[in-house]
Amino acid sequence: MESVRTILTHKYPYPHEHSRHAFIAVVVGCLFFISSDNMHTLIQKLDNNVKWWSMYACLLGFFYFFSSPFVGKTIKPSYSNFSRWYIAWILVAALYHLPSFQSMGVDLRMNLSLFLTIFLTSILFLIVFHIIFLGLWYIGLVARVAGKKPEILTIVQNCAVLSIACCIFYSHCGNRAVLRERSFERKNSNWFSFFWKKEETTTWLASFLHMHELKDRVCSSWFAPVGSASDYPFLSKWVIYGELACNGSCAGPSDEISPIYSLWATFIGLYIANYVVERSTGWALTHPVSVEEYEMLKKKQLKPDFLDMVPWYSGTSADLFKTVFDLLVSVTLFVGRFDMRMMQAAMSKVEQGAQKGDLLYDHFSEKEEIWFDFMADTGDGGNSSYAVARLLAQPSLRVNNRETTHSLPRGTFLLIGGDLAYPNPSEFTYERRLFCPFEYALQPPPWYKPEQIAVCKPEVPPGISELKQYDGPQCFIIPGNHDWFDGLHTFMRYICHKSWLGGWLLPQRKSYFALQLPKGWWVFGVDQALHGDIDVFQFKFFSELTKSKVGENDSVIIMSHEPNWLIDWYWNDVSGKNVSHLICDYLKGRCKLRLAGDLHHYMRHSSVQSDKPVYVQHLLVNGCGGAFLHPTHIFSNFNELYGTPYESKAAYPSFDDSSRIALGNILKFRKKNWQFDFIGGIIYFVLVFSLFPQCNLDHILQSDSFSGHLKSFFGTVWHTLEFVVGHSYVSSAGAMMLLLTAFSFVPSKVSWKKRVIIGILHVSAHLIAALILMLLLELGIETCIRHGLLATSGYHTLYEWYRSVENEHFPDPTGLRARIEYWTLGLYPACIKYLMSAFDVPEVMAVTRSNICKKGLVSLSRGGSIIYYASVFLYFWVFSTPVVSLVFGSYLYICINWLNIHFDEAFSSLRIANYKAFTRFHLTREGNLEVFTLAVDKVPKEWELDPKWDAELKQPPQLSHVRKYPSKWVAASQQQDPVNTVRIVDHFVIERTKTNTADSETN
């Protein structure tokens, strides 16, 4: 018999919180009523309303593109929720002024005014109820389990659904007289008549067209009046009466209780009854769950809380502003004035550079063979960083390469080539973006305490006397430019003064080091700081080590953060002179391999046989440790270093794939960088600020043909462009500031003439786009004004209309509304009035625009001007943000693929978490260095608890690296798990230097 547990958990939300399901039911009901009552009207009048339907399509299109980045997902902080509410607000405010819905028989003004009134009333009523209920719980009259306070968002959501339901039912069932008098005769027109003639023979079409009869039966059954005041004498003084069955022809007001009131009271009563029952009994808190269901539930609930990729184009990110500030301070203060590397040299225990101490580690030198790994540029997105860390943590990886299966054991030590966390080094970024993924991949020992400082490194586990005896994985790290933004403070605290990065031991004490490996191999880890070179103390250490320790036939791997060979070639610059001096004049051909990150892709260049001396055999860049992807095709023409020719041996992603990925800037820029809205919307509004309003648009509207409309429209665009250049102040100043920004944004490698041309073309595209959007908005307002849909009333159109029909549809014979107004000190009508005025934005805009066109801008007060421009901005922001992202994304695509510039800007915008890789080295018994670069094309986005990790027996003192399944999380889909999808993208061998024998390479 299956075991059963009783788990005290919220497997299901409270029934009264099922507002999402209620909302779906309301939407289905709305579609049912509209389709049954108005589908024939919609089809009949489609041909006669092309102008309005075009305006609807344009409006809804811009609103969709504004909301598209948030469809189907919630973004934290809840900007997506703000976007949805914002769109709903101004979309409804626009729709109820347009005529097509009214031609369908849907009076949005009635629905909107009813919704706001019922919504506000419901919120106040339920808040009072919850306060009373919590008071009863406090004095002990209700069960203790009722003490859980309801979230205000749940109350608001339920009230919204309740209000929508009341409005939909009332619109289609409330006025029985109208329903009885409504004629269902259809006037056949155009293509619709073809189907109408076949109504008697087409069964399904006939059923569809007679759906209104089913709707009438539903209304009669579900929404019948509940009686009159005489039937409920207790409520006679508190009930608003009102559905006039005679539709205004009666001698006096009806005493029948309004169906809208009865429906609202029913919903509120159900909510209260359901809430009281479940909170008093605790019914929803306990339920029996089988062991298997409990395990499945735990598996679904346990998910890692990984951070998303850094939004580099966010206009509101405090982290990015801090990054800019830290960079300015670091460049001004630390570089050349206060260098942490000087302090490290002063505090180092090394008297002579060749002696053991804080910088030289030789505990690997006696091994017969050794495996080790290299990665760089981690700590961006949590999914990508963990995917690489999970691969590094596995005891071994089985991968295929050209019909050959390789079993690659975990590296004895891990080299990390800098840029440990983005966008800036801080306690938050290091802990959440770096340490968190690595600790999930390979847990630190049980005795490790993150808050403690390592005083005497290396702090080896108990029972081990020296570092040489420790057989677990170790880690050595150099800082990158992002780690130097705070003067290396966070790096020293978290790397040099801590003992563990997850399950990797951290022996190093300084930001640069040397590792002596078996068979005459060495690793020099250099710290290039922010100026891309090593300092004099660092140079002295490595040069003396080269002269005293490195043999003539030894081989050296130099690990730096920045790949100077590619960066200098791209920028036509020369950097890293001290590193070049070390390689060319001290190592003299013993540098077999240079490793670097910084560029977030994989590329390998190997020397070509020539008569030139070969100072470095192989140049390898692998910055795919977790940061956003960088292009490879930009660097495809690199072919020379130190006068020696090189050729590209491997690139990941390939040059063709890299060029294709850049296309995403056109299609996905805003989806990836919705935070850019704040900047883009304001820029476009400033560009057209001086042009509002456009009062003389008659020539566009009076053209007889579509081509005439277009010609007049773009002629107006040209005239407004001339006005911006010659007469406006705010717009021209904004355009000049944007031009200077665009000019400085173009990389300095481009000549100043080309920079000017690129900047002018870039700004012109934005300016023309902003002008077109401005004219579209003005044309829409002008069209509505001409047809009497806007500028007909004032600033409180909806409220005044509601008050005019309130007495007709909802009489108040008992004076209840007057008493409520007295009891609330006037807040009752005032709240509804100003709540409704929020939906009069188009009317406010149109009325103010008409006044400006008649009397001039000087006729407005300062407050009136602020209200007008704020109203315009509310709509112009929605129109402009998708367009500014499209124009800017197109600019980046053209620059990266046609002009070979902006490689960093054009790919940081895409925030690509895929294409991640690391390099695994095998120093064989023969002294050859076998190099495997392993990559994962697609990084999982969903993770779940690994059942094998959870089931594996854990002993308290056991170190995680001895476990068979060391990583906590596995991809939700096994087909996407990095362990199953990892592949080899490059494989080569660097042979050991032999006396009087040329080095060779096997690919």
Side-chain angles (χ1 to χ4, degrees), residues 161-222:
V161 173
L162 183 152
S163 304
I164 293 174
C166 289
C167 291
I168 295 300
F169 277 97
Y170 179 76
S171 297
H172 295 273
C173 299
N175 198 324
R176 306 305 303 166
V178 173
L179 288 176
R180 284 195 296 268
E181 294 174 3
R182 181 177 297 168
S183 173
F184 294 103
E185 258 182 54
R186 275 74 171 176
K187 295 182 180 180
N188 306 333
S189 65
N190 303 329
W191 53 270
F192 176 71
S193 60
F194 174 77
F195 294 98
W196 183 257
K197 293 176 182 178
K198 295 184 178 181
E199 179 183 354
E200 300 302 327
T201 58
T202 308
T203 306
W204 66 270
L205 185 58
S207 300
F208 175 77
L209 293 173
H210 288 290
M211 191 182 294
H212 62 275
E213 298 177 1
L214 174 61
K215 189 268 300 185
D216 287 343
R217 290 194 292 269
V218 171
C219 289
S220 300
S221 302
W222 293 2

Side-chain angles (χ1 to χ4, degrees), residues 684 687 738 761-771 883-884 887-888:
Y684 268 34
L687 290 178
L738 185 60
L761 292 176
H762 186 194
V763 172
S764 298
H766 285 296
L767 184 56
I768 292 173
L771 294 176
V883 176
V884 66
V887 174
F888 188 69

Side-chain angles (χ1 to χ4, degrees), residues 168-310:
I168 295 300
F169 277 97
Y170 179 76
S171 297
H172 295 273
C173 299
N175 198 324
R176 306 305 303 166
V178 173
L179 288 176
R180 284 195 296 268
E181 294 174 3
R182 181 177 297 168
S183 173
F184 294 103
E185 258 182 54
R186 275 74 171 176
K187 295 182 180 180
N188 306 333
S189 65
N190 303 329
W191 53 270
F192 176 71
S193 60
F194 174 77
F195 294 98
W196 183 257
K197 293 176 182 178
K198 295 184 178 181
E199 179 183 354
E200 300 302 327
T201 58
T202 308
T203 306
W204 66 270
L205 185 58
S207 300
F208 175 77
L209 293 173
H210 288 290
M211 191 182 294
H212 62 275
E213 298 177 1
L214 174 61
K215 189 268 300 185
D216 287 343
R217 290 194 292 269
V218 171
C219 289
S220 300
S221 302
W222 293 2
F223 205 66
V226 295
S228 64
S230 59
D231 299 325
Y232 304 95
F234 180 75
L235 299 176
S236 60
K237 297 298 182 183
W238 303 96
V239 172
I240 298 178
Y241 310 126
E243 187 56 38
L244 297 182
C246 47
N247 196 26
S249 61
C250 300
S254 170
D255 68 343
E256 288 188 347
I257 297 176
S258 173
I260 192 69
Y261 170 79
S262 63
L263 184 63
W264 177 82
T266 301
F267 285 152
I268 289 291
L270 289 174
Y271 177 95
I272 293 175
N274 196 25
Y275 189 92
V276 170
V277 170
E278 73 173 29
R279 288 302 180 95
S280 299
T281 61
W283 164 70
L285 291 178
T286 59
H287 55 274
V289 181
S290 68
V291 175
E292 292 182 358
E293 290 177 337
Y294 172 70
E295 295 298 331
M296 290 294 294
L297 179 64
K298 183 176 72 170
K299 193 174 182 180
K300 290 181 179 179
Q301 290 178 338
L302 292 176
K303 290 186 177 180
D305 185 21
F306 288 146
L307 296 178
D308 199 3
M309 306 289 285
V310 173

